[in-house]
Amino acid sequence: MQRVDSIAVAQRLAGDIVAAALWQDDVCTWQIQTLDQATGGPQPEVAGGGIYQGSAGIALFLGELLRLVDDGSAGGDSGELRRTAEGGLRHALAAAETMPAGSCSFHGGRVGAAYVATRLAEPLAKPEYLKTARRLLEPLAGNEAHDHGLDVIGGAAGAIPALLWLRHALDDGGLLDIACGLGDRLLAAARREPGGWSWNTVGPSATRNIVGYAHGTAGAALALLELYRASGRGCYRFAAEMAFLYERRLFDPATSNWPDLRHREMNEIYYSADQDSLRRAEVADSLPPYQPRFMTAWCHGSPGIGLSRVRAYELTGQEIYRREAVAALSSTLASLESLRHQGFSLCHGVAGNCELPLYGAQVLGDPELRGIVERCAEFGRTHYDGTDLPWPCGTIEQVPDPSLLLGKAGIGYFYLRLACPELPSVLLLRPPVASLTPPEDDSFQSQGRRAVEEYFGQTLRSLDALGLPVQEALTTDPQGHPLDRSPVETAYGALVQLVEAQQGIGHEMAADAFELERRRYELVAVPNDLSRHFLRHLRRRPVEEVDWPGSSFCLAEDCVLLSTRWPWHLDDRHLEDWYLEVRQGTASVGPPERHQAWLVARQGEKVVMRRLSPFAAAMLSTLLSTSDSSAPLEEIVARLLGLLGGAPSAEQQRQLSSRIEHQLRELYRVGVVDELVAPISNQRQDESVAAAVT
């Protein structure tokens, strides 16, 4: 497709957008299409100021086209184009000025508005926009923790690359500090599973933390990798590698894609804010189970994930990223044929999916990829440009829309990118790469050791005190990037072998020292269905509605009751003499035993370890000692009385029953104990839904 033809398509799309502007004095915005929650169809709405579906994104497209018109690269009158680009940008900047100080989002916050102002300062001949951009960014410093979004669309993962780009464009070194503040937020919010790191960005409506670029792990991982290249801090590189590892293990070779882990039906109900319906469906067992599915778009699936891998390959030169990019290209290219009639948007249409082969042609050195993109662009030009068929947008029912990520501005931006490859992609901002001077105490290897300490710190200290060759047995330092196995998994295997190699009392003590952290590791290493966990708690009755005397109770799933013979995790120094004897080989028996009861429980995304009082441990053990692992309050009381022995008085029995009921209430409240009871009535459900969801 000829360059002049691509620009001509963009100009005609811009003409439609200019004609549809809604003006008030010298400020303009547009009418966009959003979802009508009541009908499930499209409904018109006045656009806000963001990049994704607002005036900032539309102004960006018009301004970048103006750059070509003014420099003679494209014909046409620039008057109305300039006026509308300025009017849209004024609307976006006014909206950004009212945003909270911690609104860091690129697609909907201060960072995005500052980016557009910086990009358009030159084509609009408004150098004062650079000052405006700096003013918008100033409040972010120190307020990074107040930005609640984590993903590319809503928060930190999208803001970090944009801030790094703006750092160079505005010559403002302080923006690196803001980006690092957001990077630290990502580190703090990561779910650190043994086999990889991920982020909860969609609430409880997914079976696991999702993969993908716009909302999932790929976007966060690449942001952290960009931040490592800018700062040299190994903690960001390690987190990026652990996130890529999480995503790598979910790759499906049969589809050459990564699964969409959102529970479709639950997601629709949850995000319609119809919690009553969600709870009723769960109680009635009418909510269908999660069915694996695959989406092929920039927002979810291989096109966006592939972009992250091409960029990772460009930054690191690691072959594994090239292989993953090629795999992503396979399913992405296969999707283009069917998408031609379904959508042309940047977010989840042809224009967005073409970004991967367009970028891949440049970095992977395959010119045929650009040829595929040009054929897709030619199809759009002949079928939609200047015909009676409207461009299929990314909105509900493909209703025409002027916005950047869902509508005509984004389609026009795609044609501009095809004509001018140097134009930055809004789907993958690529900040300049800085030279690295990594701090010695923040190396990639040190991060691996810290990750192992998070899981096995007490075990390592105890085994070291027993004189076992912990450091020799553990090969936790990654010798190269990227990771094909996490240091935590490597350490677990080494610890198992080390403990099994011991004999006699040495083996007993080593196994006991490892027991608690071993069980926690094994529990968290099993993938947890987050949506099922949420639904289980959604259907639980509030504490005040439970019939305590009349119900049966059981230990909640994903809860393990165990004990250790010695108090390794209490920092008790009475074992020091025994450590010495074991090291010298003179210990024939263990030290006096001091059993400690523990509960290891998975609670949502976390696995916690709690030391139990003897009373709580005895009470919970009564639940496990029954044939069906459950018991009513009366039976729990009877079993505990049997353990106490003797013939307690009626008053002592009453006091014990009251104490057990109080303990059950507390354990039920924190999700350790569940009630086995028939579902409560719909009337009672409706009355308690709000409290349960909150």
Side-chain angles (χ1 to χ4, degrees), residues 478-533:
Q479 298 301 311
H481 321 319
L483 295 171
D484 57 0
R485 191 170 189 233
S486 84
V488 178
E489 294 171 316
T490 301
Y492 171 75
L495 286 171
V496 169
Q497 293 181 9
L498 181 62
V499 170
E500 291 301 317
Q502 306 312 305
Q503 302 293 325
I505 187 62
H507 175 267
E508 292 179 28
M509 296 185 73
D512 196 60
F514 187 29
E515 176 69 3
L516 189 57
E517 289 182 330
R518 178 182 71 84
R519 295 296 289 272
R520 180 183 64 169
Y521 170 90
E522 291 171 354
L523 188 59
V524 77
V526 176
N528 181 30
D529 187 334
L530 299 177
S531 62
R532 186 168 63 89
H533 175 85

Short mmCIF file of all heavy atoms in Angstrom, two decimals, residues 478-533:
data_model
loop_
_atom_site.label_atom_id
_atom_site.label_comp_id
_atom_site.label_asym_id
_atom_site.label_seq_id
_atom_site.Cartn_x
_atom_site.Cartn_y
_atom_site.Cartn_z
N PRO A 478 20.58 -17.35 40.10
CA PRO A 478 20.41 -17.57 38.66
C PRO A 478 21.70 -17.17 37.92
O PRO A 478 22.25 -16.09 38.15
CB PRO A 478 19.27 -16.62 38.28
CG PRO A 478 18.63 -16.24 39.58
CD PRO A 478 19.70 -16.30 40.61
N GLN A 479 22.17 -18.05 37.10
CA GLN A 479 23.42 -17.79 36.40
C GLN A 479 23.21 -17.01 35.10
O GLN A 479 24.16 -16.54 34.49
CB GLN A 479 24.14 -19.11 36.10
CG GLN A 479 24.51 -19.88 37.36
CD GLN A 479 25.43 -19.07 38.26
OE1 GLN A 479 26.43 -18.52 37.81
NE2 GLN A 479 25.07 -18.98 39.53
N GLY A 480 22.00 -16.88 34.68
CA GLY A 480 21.74 -16.13 33.46
C GLY A 480 20.28 -15.75 33.38
O GLY A 480 19.47 -16.20 34.17
N HIS A 481 19.95 -14.91 32.45
CA HIS A 481 18.58 -14.50 32.25
C HIS A 481 18.15 -15.06 30.89
O HIS A 481 18.95 -15.22 29.99
CB HIS A 481 18.43 -12.98 32.21
CG HIS A 481 19.29 -12.24 33.19
ND1 HIS A 481 19.50 -12.64 34.48
CD2 HIS A 481 20.00 -11.09 33.05
CE1 HIS A 481 20.28 -11.79 35.11
NE2 HIS A 481 20.61 -10.85 34.25
N PRO A 482 16.89 -15.29 30.69
CA PRO A 482 15.81 -15.19 31.68
C PRO A 482 15.67 -16.49 32.47
O PRO A 482 16.37 -17.47 32.21
CB PRO A 482 14.58 -14.94 30.81
CG PRO A 482 14.90 -15.69 29.55
CD PRO A 482 16.39 -15.57 29.34
N LEU A 483 14.75 -16.51 33.38
CA LEU A 483 14.54 -17.66 34.24
C LEU A 483 13.73 -18.73 33.51
O LEU A 483 12.73 -18.44 32.88
CB LEU A 483 13.79 -17.26 35.50
CG LEU A 483 14.50 -16.29 36.45
CD1 LEU A 483 13.54 -15.82 37.52
CD2 LEU A 483 15.72 -16.95 37.07
N ASP A 484 14.18 -19.98 33.59
CA ASP A 484 13.33 -21.08 33.14
C ASP A 484 12.77 -21.84 34.33
O ASP A 484 11.90 -22.69 34.19
CB ASP A 484 14.10 -22.03 32.21
CG ASP A 484 15.34 -22.60 32.88
OD1 ASP A 484 15.61 -22.27 34.05
OD2 ASP A 484 16.06 -23.37 32.21
N ARG A 485 13.28 -21.53 35.52
CA ARG A 485 12.78 -22.08 36.77
C ARG A 485 13.09 -21.07 37.86
O ARG A 485 14.18 -20.49 37.88
CB ARG A 485 13.45 -23.42 37.08
CG ARG A 485 12.80 -24.20 38.24
CD ARG A 485 13.36 -25.59 38.30
NE ARG A 485 12.61 -26.40 39.25
CZ ARG A 485 13.17 -27.09 40.24
NH1 ARG A 485 14.49 -27.04 40.40
NH2 ARG A 485 12.44 -27.81 41.05
N SER A 486 12.15 -20.85 38.75
CA SER A 486 12.36 -19.80 39.75
C SER A 486 13.34 -20.27 40.81
O SER A 486 13.44 -21.47 41.11
CB SER A 486 11.03 -19.41 40.41
OG SER A 486 10.71 -20.30 41.46
N PRO A 487 14.09 -19.35 41.43
CA PRO A 487 15.00 -19.72 42.52
C PRO A 487 14.28 -20.38 43.69
O PRO A 487 14.87 -21.21 44.37
CB PRO A 487 15.61 -18.37 42.93
CG PRO A 487 15.47 -17.50 41.74
CD PRO A 487 14.21 -17.92 41.08
N VAL A 488 13.02 -20.02 43.92
CA VAL A 488 12.28 -20.62 45.03
C VAL A 488 12.04 -22.10 44.76
O VAL A 488 12.20 -22.94 45.66
CB VAL A 488 10.94 -19.88 45.23
CG1 VAL A 488 10.13 -20.53 46.35
CG2 VAL A 488 11.18 -18.41 45.54
N GLU A 489 11.68 -22.45 43.53
CA GLU A 489 11.48 -23.86 43.19
C GLU A 489 12.80 -24.63 43.29
O GLU A 489 12.82 -25.77 43.77
CB GLU A 489 10.91 -23.98 41.78
CG GLU A 489 9.50 -23.42 41.64
CD GLU A 489 9.05 -23.36 40.20
OE1 GLU A 489 9.83 -22.93 39.34
OE2 GLU A 489 7.90 -23.75 39.95
N THR A 490 13.87 -24.03 42.84
CA THR A 490 15.17 -24.66 42.94
C THR A 490 15.55 -24.90 44.39
O THR A 490 16.04 -25.98 44.76
CB THR A 490 16.24 -23.78 42.26
OG1 THR A 490 15.90 -23.59 40.89
CG2 THR A 490 17.61 -24.43 42.34
N ALA A 491 15.30 -23.91 45.24
CA ALA A 491 15.62 -24.04 46.66
C ALA A 491 14.79 -25.12 47.32
O ALA A 491 15.30 -25.89 48.15
CB ALA A 491 15.41 -22.70 47.37
N TYR A 492 13.52 -25.22 46.98
CA TYR A 492 12.66 -26.25 47.56
C TYR A 492 13.21 -27.64 47.25
O TYR A 492 13.32 -28.50 48.14
CB TYR A 492 11.24 -26.11 47.03
CG TYR A 492 10.34 -27.26 47.41
CD1 TYR A 492 9.84 -27.38 48.70
CD2 TYR A 492 9.99 -28.24 46.47
CE1 TYR A 492 9.01 -28.44 49.05
CE2 TYR A 492 9.17 -29.30 46.81
CZ TYR A 492 8.69 -29.39 48.11
OH TYR A 492 7.89 -30.45 48.45
N GLY A 493 13.56 -27.87 45.99
CA GLY A 493 14.11 -29.17 45.63
C GLY A 493 15.40 -29.48 46.37
O GLY A 493 15.63 -30.61 46.82
N ALA A 494 16.26 -28.47 46.52
CA ALA A 494 17.52 -28.67 47.22
C ALA A 494 17.30 -28.96 48.70
O ALA A 494 17.98 -29.80 49.29
CB ALA A 494 18.40 -27.43 47.05
N LEU A 495 16.33 -28.29 49.30
CA LEU A 495 16.05 -28.52 50.72
C LEU A 495 15.49 -29.92 50.95
O LEU A 495 15.83 -30.58 51.94
CB LEU A 495 15.08 -27.46 51.24
CG LEU A 495 15.67 -26.07 51.46
CD1 LEU A 495 14.57 -25.05 51.75
CD2 LEU A 495 16.68 -26.09 52.60
N VAL A 496 14.61 -30.37 50.07
CA VAL A 496 14.07 -31.72 50.20
C VAL A 496 15.20 -32.74 50.17
O VAL A 496 15.27 -33.66 51.00
CB VAL A 496 13.04 -32.00 49.08
CG1 VAL A 496 12.68 -33.49 49.05
CG2 VAL A 496 11.79 -31.16 49.29
N GLN A 497 16.12 -32.59 49.23
CA GLN A 497 17.24 -33.52 49.12
C GLN A 497 18.14 -33.45 50.35
O GLN A 497 18.61 -34.47 50.86
CB GLN A 497 18.04 -33.24 47.86
CG GLN A 497 17.29 -33.53 46.57
CD GLN A 497 18.14 -33.26 45.34
OE1 GLN A 497 19.34 -33.01 45.44
NE2 GLN A 497 17.51 -33.29 44.18
N LEU A 498 18.37 -32.25 50.83
CA LEU A 498 19.25 -32.07 51.98
C LEU A 498 18.67 -32.73 53.23
O LEU A 498 19.38 -33.42 53.97
CB LEU A 498 19.48 -30.58 52.23
CG LEU A 498 20.40 -30.20 53.40
CD1 LEU A 498 21.81 -30.74 53.16
CD2 LEU A 498 20.44 -28.68 53.58
N VAL A 499 17.39 -32.54 53.46
CA VAL A 499 16.74 -33.14 54.63
C VAL A 499 16.74 -34.66 54.52
O VAL A 499 17.03 -35.37 55.48
CB VAL A 499 15.31 -32.59 54.80
CG1 VAL A 499 14.54 -33.38 55.85
CG2 VAL A 499 15.34 -31.11 55.16
N GLU A 500 16.40 -35.18 53.34
CA GLU A 500 16.33 -36.63 53.16
C GLU A 500 17.69 -37.29 53.32
O GLU A 500 17.78 -38.48 53.66
CB GLU A 500 15.75 -36.96 51.78
CG GLU A 500 14.28 -36.61 51.64
CD GLU A 500 13.42 -37.34 52.66
OE1 GLU A 500 13.66 -38.55 52.88
OE2 GLU A 500 12.52 -36.71 53.24
N ALA A 501 18.75 -36.54 53.11
CA ALA A 501 20.10 -37.11 53.21
C ALA A 501 20.57 -37.29 54.65
O ALA A 501 21.57 -37.96 54.89
CB ALA A 501 21.10 -36.23 52.45
N GLN A 502 19.85 -36.71 55.61
CA GLN A 502 20.27 -36.80 57.01
C GLN A 502 19.84 -38.13 57.61
O GLN A 502 18.93 -38.79 57.11
CB GLN A 502 19.70 -35.63 57.81
CG GLN A 502 20.00 -34.26 57.23
CD GLN A 502 21.45 -34.07 56.86
OE1 GLN A 502 22.34 -34.25 57.71
NE2 GLN A 502 21.71 -33.70 55.62
N GLN A 503 20.49 -38.50 58.72
CA GLN A 503 20.22 -39.76 59.39
C GLN A 503 19.83 -39.52 60.84
O GLN A 503 20.25 -38.53 61.45
CB GLN A 503 21.45 -40.68 59.33
CG GLN A 503 21.95 -40.99 57.93
CD GLN A 503 20.98 -41.83 57.14
OE1 GLN A 503 20.30 -42.70 57.72
NE2 GLN A 503 20.90 -41.58 55.83
N GLY A 504 19.07 -40.45 61.42
CA GLY A 504 18.78 -40.45 62.84
C GLY A 504 18.14 -39.18 63.33
O GLY A 504 17.25 -38.61 62.70
N ILE A 505 18.62 -38.71 64.51
CA ILE A 505 18.05 -37.51 65.11
C ILE A 505 18.28 -36.29 64.24
O ILE A 505 17.46 -35.36 64.23
CB ILE A 505 18.62 -37.28 66.53
CG1 ILE A 505 17.90 -36.13 67.23
CG2 ILE A 505 20.13 -37.03 66.46
CD1 ILE A 505 16.44 -36.37 67.44
N GLY A 506 19.36 -36.29 63.48
CA GLY A 506 19.61 -35.17 62.57
C GLY A 506 18.52 -35.04 61.53
O GLY A 506 18.07 -33.94 61.20
N HIS A 507 18.05 -36.19 61.02
CA HIS A 507 16.97 -36.16 60.04
C HIS A 507 15.67 -35.70 60.68
O HIS A 507 14.91 -34.91 60.10
CB HIS A 507 16.77 -37.55 59.43
CG HIS A 507 15.60 -37.63 58.50
ND1 HIS A 507 14.34 -38.02 58.91
CD2 HIS A 507 15.49 -37.34 57.18
CE1 HIS A 507 13.51 -37.98 57.90
NE2 HIS A 507 14.18 -37.57 56.83
N GLU A 508 15.39 -36.19 61.90
CA GLU A 508 14.16 -35.81 62.58
C GLU A 508 14.10 -34.31 62.82
O GLU A 508 13.07 -33.66 62.59
CB GLU A 508 14.04 -36.56 63.91
CG GLU A 508 13.84 -38.06 63.75
CD GLU A 508 13.75 -38.75 65.10
OE1 GLU A 508 13.34 -38.09 66.07
OE2 GLU A 508 14.11 -39.93 65.18
N MET A 509 15.22 -33.75 63.27
CA MET A 509 15.23 -32.32 63.57
C MET A 509 15.17 -31.50 62.29
O MET A 509 14.48 -30.48 62.21
CB MET A 509 16.47 -31.96 64.40
CG MET A 509 16.49 -32.61 65.78
SD MET A 509 17.87 -32.04 66.79
CE MET A 509 17.33 -30.38 67.19
N ALA A 510 15.90 -31.93 61.25
CA ALA A 510 15.88 -31.18 59.99
C ALA A 510 14.49 -31.19 59.37
O ALA A 510 14.00 -30.17 58.88
CB ALA A 510 16.91 -31.76 59.03
N ALA A 511 13.84 -32.37 59.39
CA ALA A 511 12.50 -32.47 58.83
C ALA A 511 11.52 -31.61 59.61
O ALA A 511 10.63 -30.96 59.03
CB ALA A 511 12.04 -33.92 58.82
N ASP A 512 11.66 -31.59 60.93
CA ASP A 512 10.77 -30.79 61.76
C ASP A 512 11.00 -29.30 61.52
O ASP A 512 10.05 -28.51 61.48
CB ASP A 512 11.01 -31.13 63.23
CG ASP A 512 9.87 -30.64 64.13
OD1 ASP A 512 8.73 -31.09 63.92
OD2 ASP A 512 10.14 -29.80 65.01
N ALA A 513 12.25 -28.91 61.34
CA ALA A 513 12.57 -27.50 61.07
C ALA A 513 12.00 -27.04 59.73
O ALA A 513 11.63 -25.88 59.55
CB ALA A 513 14.08 -27.30 61.10
N PHE A 514 11.91 -27.97 58.77
CA PHE A 514 11.45 -27.66 57.42
C PHE A 514 9.93 -27.77 57.30
O PHE A 514 9.33 -27.23 56.37
CB PHE A 514 12.13 -28.64 56.46
CG PHE A 514 11.90 -28.38 54.99
CD1 PHE A 514 11.65 -27.10 54.50
CD2 PHE A 514 11.94 -29.42 54.08
CE1 PHE A 514 11.45 -26.87 53.14
CE2 PHE A 514 11.74 -29.20 52.73
CZ PHE A 514 11.49 -27.93 52.26
N GLU A 515 9.27 -28.45 58.23
CA GLU A 515 7.88 -28.84 58.08
C GLU A 515 6.93 -27.68 57.79
O GLU A 515 6.13 -27.73 56.86
CB GLU A 515 7.41 -29.60 59.33
CG GLU A 515 5.94 -29.97 59.33
CD GLU A 515 5.58 -31.04 58.31
OE1 GLU A 515 6.49 -31.55 57.62
OE2 GLU A 515 4.38 -31.36 58.19
N LEU A 516 7.01 -26.63 58.56
CA LEU A 516 6.03 -25.56 58.44
C LEU A 516 6.15 -24.83 57.11
O LEU A 516 5.17 -24.63 56.39
CB LEU A 516 6.19 -24.59 59.61
CG LEU A 516 5.10 -23.53 59.77
CD1 LEU A 516 3.73 -24.17 59.89
CD2 LEU A 516 5.39 -22.66 61.00
N GLU A 517 7.36 -24.44 56.76
CA GLU A 517 7.55 -23.71 55.50
C GLU A 517 7.39 -24.65 54.30
O GLU A 517 6.98 -24.21 53.22
CB GLU A 517 8.90 -23.02 55.49
CG GLU A 517 8.93 -21.85 56.47
CD GLU A 517 10.23 -21.09 56.49
OE1 GLU A 517 11.30 -21.68 56.21
OE2 GLU A 517 10.20 -19.87 56.79
N ARG A 518 7.67 -25.94 54.49
CA ARG A 518 7.42 -26.90 53.41
C ARG A 518 5.94 -26.99 53.10
O ARG A 518 5.53 -26.94 51.94
CB ARG A 518 7.96 -28.27 53.79
CG ARG A 518 7.69 -29.34 52.73
CD ARG A 518 8.20 -30.70 53.17
NE ARG A 518 7.38 -31.24 54.25
CZ ARG A 518 6.24 -31.90 54.07
NH1 ARG A 518 5.76 -32.09 52.84
NH2 ARG A 518 5.56 -32.38 55.10
N ARG A 519 5.10 -27.10 54.15
CA ARG A 519 3.67 -27.22 53.92
C ARG A 519 3.10 -25.94 53.33
O ARG A 519 2.19 -25.97 52.49
CB ARG A 519 2.96 -27.57 55.24
CG ARG A 519 3.35 -28.93 55.78
CD ARG A 519 2.93 -30.07 54.85
NE ARG A 519 1.50 -30.26 54.84
CZ ARG A 519 0.84 -31.04 55.68
NH1 ARG A 519 1.49 -31.71 56.62
NH2 ARG A 519 -0.47 -31.17 55.60
N ARG A 520 3.59 -24.80 53.77
CA ARG A 520 3.11 -23.54 53.18
C ARG A 520 3.47 -23.49 51.69
O ARG A 520 2.65 -23.11 50.85
CB ARG A 520 3.72 -22.34 53.90
CG ARG A 520 3.25 -21.00 53.32
CD ARG A 520 3.90 -19.82 53.97
NE ARG A 520 5.33 -19.76 53.75
CZ ARG A 520 6.09 -18.71 54.03
NH1 ARG A 520 5.56 -17.64 54.59
NH2 ARG A 520 7.38 -18.72 53.80
N TYR A 521 4.72 -23.86 51.36
CA TYR A 521 5.14 -23.85 49.96
C TYR A 521 4.25 -24.76 49.12
O TYR A 521 3.80 -24.39 48.04
CB TYR A 521 6.60 -24.31 49.86
CG TYR A 521 7.06 -24.56 48.44
CD1 TYR A 521 7.62 -23.54 47.69
CD2 TYR A 521 6.92 -25.81 47.85
CE1 TYR A 521 8.03 -23.76 46.38
CE2 TYR A 521 7.31 -26.04 46.54
CZ TYR A 521 7.87 -25.00 45.82
OH TYR A 521 8.26 -25.23 44.52
N GLU A 522 4.01 -25.98 49.61
CA GLU A 522 3.24 -26.94 48.83
C GLU A 522 1.79 -26.49 48.65
O GLU A 522 1.16 -26.80 47.65
CB GLU A 522 3.31 -28.31 49.51
CG GLU A 522 4.71 -28.92 49.42
CD GLU A 522 4.89 -30.17 50.27
OE1 GLU A 522 3.94 -30.49 51.02
OE2 GLU A 522 5.95 -30.80 50.19
N LEU A 523 1.27 -25.75 49.63
CA LEU A 523 -0.09 -25.24 49.50
C LEU A 523 -0.17 -24.11 48.49
O LEU A 523 -1.06 -24.07 47.63
CB LEU A 523 -0.60 -24.76 50.86
CG LEU A 523 -2.08 -24.37 50.94
CD1 LEU A 523 -2.97 -25.54 50.56
CD2 LEU A 523 -2.42 -23.88 52.33
N VAL A 524 0.79 -23.20 48.55
CA VAL A 524 0.73 -22.05 47.65
C VAL A 524 1.17 -22.43 46.24
O VAL A 524 0.82 -21.74 45.27
CB VAL A 524 1.61 -20.90 48.19
CG1 VAL A 524 3.08 -21.16 47.95
CG2 VAL A 524 1.21 -19.57 47.57
N ALA A 525 1.93 -23.52 46.09
CA ALA A 525 2.40 -23.92 44.76
C ALA A 525 1.28 -24.50 43.91
O ALA A 525 1.39 -24.57 42.69
CB ALA A 525 3.52 -24.95 44.89
N VAL A 526 0.18 -24.91 44.54
CA VAL A 526 -0.97 -25.44 43.79
C VAL A 526 -1.81 -24.25 43.29
O VAL A 526 -2.20 -23.40 44.09
CB VAL A 526 -1.83 -26.35 44.68
CG1 VAL A 526 -3.07 -26.81 43.92
CG2 VAL A 526 -1.02 -27.54 45.16
N PRO A 527 -2.08 -24.15 41.99
CA PRO A 527 -2.89 -23.02 41.48
C PRO A 527 -4.21 -22.92 42.21
O PRO A 527 -4.90 -23.92 42.41
CB PRO A 527 -3.07 -23.37 40.00
CG PRO A 527 -1.90 -24.24 39.67
CD PRO A 527 -1.63 -25.04 40.90
N ASN A 528 -4.56 -21.70 42.57
CA ASN A 528 -5.78 -21.45 43.34
C ASN A 528 -6.80 -20.75 42.45
O ASN A 528 -6.48 -19.74 41.80
CB ASN A 528 -5.44 -20.56 44.55
CG ASN A 528 -6.65 -20.28 45.41
OD1 ASN A 528 -7.56 -21.09 45.48
ND2 ASN A 528 -6.66 -19.13 46.05
N ASP A 529 -8.01 -21.28 42.41
CA ASP A 529 -9.09 -20.65 41.64
C ASP A 529 -9.63 -19.48 42.46
O ASP A 529 -10.40 -19.67 43.39
CB ASP A 529 -10.19 -21.67 41.36
CG ASP A 529 -11.25 -21.12 40.41
OD1 ASP A 529 -11.43 -19.89 40.36
OD2 ASP A 529 -11.92 -21.92 39.75
N LEU A 530 -9.21 -18.27 42.13
CA LEU A 530 -9.60 -17.10 42.91
C LEU A 530 -11.09 -16.83 42.83
O LEU A 530 -11.70 -16.39 43.81
CB LEU A 530 -8.82 -15.88 42.42
CG LEU A 530 -7.30 -15.96 42.54
CD1 LEU A 530 -6.65 -14.72 41.94
CD2 LEU A 530 -6.87 -16.12 43.99
N SER A 531 -11.70 -17.11 41.68
CA SER A 531 -13.13 -16.87 41.55
C SER A 531 -13.92 -17.82 42.45
O SER A 531 -14.92 -17.43 43.06
CB SER A 531 -13.58 -17.03 40.08
OG SER A 531 -13.35 -18.35 39.62
N ARG A 532 -13.48 -19.07 42.54
CA ARG A 532 -14.17 -20.03 43.40
C ARG A 532 -14.03 -19.63 44.87
O ARG A 532 -14.97 -19.76 45.65
CB ARG A 532 -13.61 -21.43 43.17
CG ARG A 532 -14.36 -22.54 43.90
CD ARG A 532 -13.93 -23.90 43.39
NE ARG A 532 -12.53 -24.15 43.66
CZ ARG A 532 -12.07 -24.70 44.79
NH1 ARG A 532 -12.92 -25.04 45.74
NH2 ARG A 532 -10.80 -24.91 44.95
N HIS A 533 -12.85 -19.14 45.24
CA HIS A 533 -12.64 -18.69 46.62
C HIS A 533 -13.59 -17.54 46.94
O HIS A 533 -14.22 -17.50 48.00
CB HIS A 533 -11.19 -18.26 46.79
CG HIS A 533 -10.89 -17.67 48.13
ND1 HIS A 533 -10.57 -18.45 49.23
CD2 HIS A 533 -10.88 -16.39 48.57
CE1 HIS A 533 -10.38 -17.67 50.28
NE2 HIS A 533 -10.55 -16.42 49.90
#
